[in-house]
């Protein structure tokens, strides 16, 4: 696996989503302005991890996954699961929203940041206002003919942690 991360650990911008229910999900949005980008090549598949002020985008194969709070779009939160065929590829997305006590959220975010700190294919942004205001992405592969990525979105204002996992398999 090779990759290049282009990201400062602390972002000098406010983030636009402040709770899980403000997020919307899409598989066909255009590229949104990114605060940081990591490019990785996994088993011949280029994966672009994009950290947004409004959460994340991942581009891989035919997929343009967006989980973000975008202007003019209703939220509703992330879907629990999405299974699709896209140009012959198999796409599987799952998510969960966990409610944590403040100390538990801080502990989990600190553990996540330490775990991803020097990992290839990882991107982590810490937003101003709280060391727990984090969006993190990590892509890995190969995984039996495909690639996988995970994301974490921590909302200290509401003590929520959104965790997603996506698997994309070749035709």
């Amino acid at each position: 696996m090779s990759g290049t991360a282009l990201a400062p650990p602390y972002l000098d911008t406010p983030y636009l989503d402040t709770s899980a229910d403000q997020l919307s999900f899409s598989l066909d949005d255009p590229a949104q302005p990114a605060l940081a980008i990591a490019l990785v090549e996994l088993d011949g598949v280029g994966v672009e991890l994009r950290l947004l002020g409004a959460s994340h985008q991942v581009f891989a194969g035919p997929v343009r996954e967006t989980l973000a709070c975008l202007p003019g779009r209703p939220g509703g939160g992330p879907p629990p699961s999405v299974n699709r065929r896209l140009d012959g590829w198999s796409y599987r997305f799952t998510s969960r929203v966990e409610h944590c006590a403040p100390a538990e959220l801080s502990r989990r975010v600190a553990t996540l940041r330490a775990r991803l700190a020097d990992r290839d294919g990882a991107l982590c942004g810490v937003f101003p206002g709280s060391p727990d205001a984090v969006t993190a992405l990590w892509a890995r592969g190969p995984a039996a003919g495909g690639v996988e990525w995970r994301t974490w979105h921590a909302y200290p204002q509401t003590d929520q942690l959104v965790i997603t996992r996506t698997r994309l398999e070749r035709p």
Side-chain angles (χ1 to χ4, degrees):
M1 170 168 60
S2 64
T4 303
L6 308 171
Y10 294 93
L11 302 169
D12 188 21
T13 184
Y15 62 133
L16 302 177
D17 49 336
T18 56
S19 68
D21 63 347
Q22 292 180 325
L23 295 169
S24 65
F25 177 85
S26 173
L27 287 173
D28 57 9
D29 279 340
Q32 300 296 311
L35 301 173
I37 297 173
L39 306 170
V40 292
E41 180 83 15
L42 303 171
D43 197 28
V45 178
V47 180
E48 183 176 322
L49 304 172
R50 302 174 57 82
L51 179 66
L52 311 178
S55 283
H56 86 263
Q57 286 186 303
V58 177
F59 299 160
V63 171
R64 299 176 75 79
E65 178 183 285
T66 304
L67 184 63
C69 173
L70 298 175
R73 185 173 299 171
S81 67
V82 175
N83 293 293
R84 298 244 173 94
R85 300 289 291 174
L86 301 164
D87 294 338
W89 295 66
S90 174
Y91 172 86
R92 290 190 308 263
F93 169 93
T94 60
S95 74
R96 67 183 186 272
V97 179
E98 298 181 0
H99 297 271
C100 306
E104 174 69 7
L105 182 66
S106 291
R107 183 191 65 73
R108 292 181 67 185
V109 168
T111 300
L112 173 67
R113 289 176 57 190
R115 191 173 69 190
L116 297 181
D118 295 321
R119 197 165 278 191
D120 277 347
L123 184 60
C124 184
V126 182
F127 293 87
S130 171
D132 298 334
V134 168
T135 297
L137 302 93
W138 177 42
R140 63 183 179 165
V147 296
E148 295 181 348
W149 58 87
R150 299 184 70 188
T151 73
W152 298 264
H153 308 260
Y155 301 104
Q157 306 90 325
T158 55
D159 298 319
Q160 294 174 308
L161 183 61
V162 177
I163 302 168
T164 74
R165 176 174 281 180
T166 303
R167 180 166 174 73
L168 181 63
E169 295 176 1
R170 296 176 185 275

